[in-house]
Amino acid sequence: MSIEPSSLTDRARVHAALGDPARLAIVDALTLGDASPGEIAHALDMPTNLVAHHVKVLTEAGLVVRTRSEGDRRRTYLRLLPETLATLGAPPLPGVGRVVFVCTHNSARSQLAAALWRHRTHGPAASAGTRPAARVHPRAIAVAHRHRLDLDPTGTAHVTDVVRDGDLVIAVCDNAHEDLTGPVRPRLHWSVPDPVRVDTDEAFEAAYTELAHRVERLAPAVTPAAGAHHA
């Protein structure tokens, strides 16, 4: 996965601006509303010249803008730019047509990940295995049922029969990530422990939780390709 150097530079500048406790306090103060530099100084018990210095750094980082009061033109207000804060999240993945989750047997982790993705994003998703089993593991079906996800007990498939151009392929197990070195190559790798090896309800619940957290982290970063159909 490649990231533009300019994007890294911009994000590093924002991180540096937020690295000072006083500047972070100013950002916190502006999160829910605008304020003048004087009001910030009073609220934070900070000298006005120090506020001016920190506001300058925050402005140069693109976190804060000044606006002139419509009432008293001598007064300025500071406004936080939340879209700049949003850039500190995961780097964007534009043009994703469909997300395909791959594990070894396509009987647990990849099935749960695809179901979670469809539930979270309402976007197209599929799952596959490098050596697919005949059926989905009963404990995977059970944990999905507990969390109101639907899994087809016989819906397993081989990766070469599922993956097509434009798919975002995610390996959700180490073996699949290491085995897929040919034309089908995962773009992302999630090292999720295999619950089948332990074969307890607790292990499957832990795999579900790990996958749910990772789906939640990835979803805001994905921009669907033009014409991508929702499942």
Side-chain angles (χ1 to χ4, degrees), residues 7-177:
S7 172
L8 288 173
T9 301
D10 292 340
R11 289 165 60 204
R13 186 181 298 113
V14 175
H15 277 288
L18 294 172
D20 184 283
R23 290 196 287 271
L24 187 57
I26 293 172
V27 169
D28 285 347
L30 295 173
T31 297
L32 299 180
D34 306 339
S36 69
E39 290 168 337
I40 290 290
H42 177 74
L44 301 180
D45 193 21
M46 190 183 301
T48 55
N49 62 332
L50 190 55
V51 169
H53 164 72
H54 289 314
V55 167
K56 181 176 184 292
V57 175
L58 292 170
T59 302
E60 290 174 348
L63 283 160
V64 170
V65 294
R66 290 176 177 268
T67 59
R68 188 73 62 179
S69 168
E70 292 182 350
D72 183 348
R73 301 297 292 175
R74 296 168 298 178
R75 182 186 293 268
T76 61
Y77 290 106
L78 305 173
R79 177 165 59 88
L80 185 67
L81 296 177
E83 57 268 29
T84 302
L85 285 175
T87 65
L88 299 182
L93 293 176
V96 174
R98 181 179 65 157
V99 182
V100 178
F101 298 92
V102 181
C103 64
T104 304
H105 300 302
N106 191 210
S107 65
R109 289 166 289 182
S110 56
Q111 294 278 352
L112 290 169
L116 279 161
W117 186 261
R118 287 190 291 266
H119 179 75
R120 167 63 175 80
T121 70
H122 304 290
S127 68
T130 55
R131 296 191 297 276
R135 299 179 62 84
V136 178
H137 197 286
R139 291 190 192 275
I141 296 172
V143 74
H145 179 73
R146 285 197 295 274
H147 294 279
R148 299 183 179 180
L149 300 175
D150 292 325
L151 296 185
D152 177 1
T154 61
T156 61
H158 193 275
V159 62
T160 57
D161 296 327
V162 173
V163 176
R164 56 180 187 247
D165 291 344
D167 287 340
L168 170 60
V169 179
I170 302 176
V172 293
C173 81
D174 297 340
N175 286 329
H177 175 67

Side-chain angles (χ1 to χ4, degrees), residues 86 89-93 117 120-121 213-223:
L93 293 176
W117 186 261
R120 167 63 175 80
T121 70
H213 288 161
R214 289 182 179 262
V215 164
E216 190 64 31
R217 196 184 317 160
L218 176 64
V222 170
T223 303

Side-chain angles (χ1 to χ4, degrees), residues 193-204:
D194 185 3
V196 177
R197 291 188 178 185
V198 183
D199 201 16
T200 64
D201 287 344
E202 291 76 13
F204 277 81

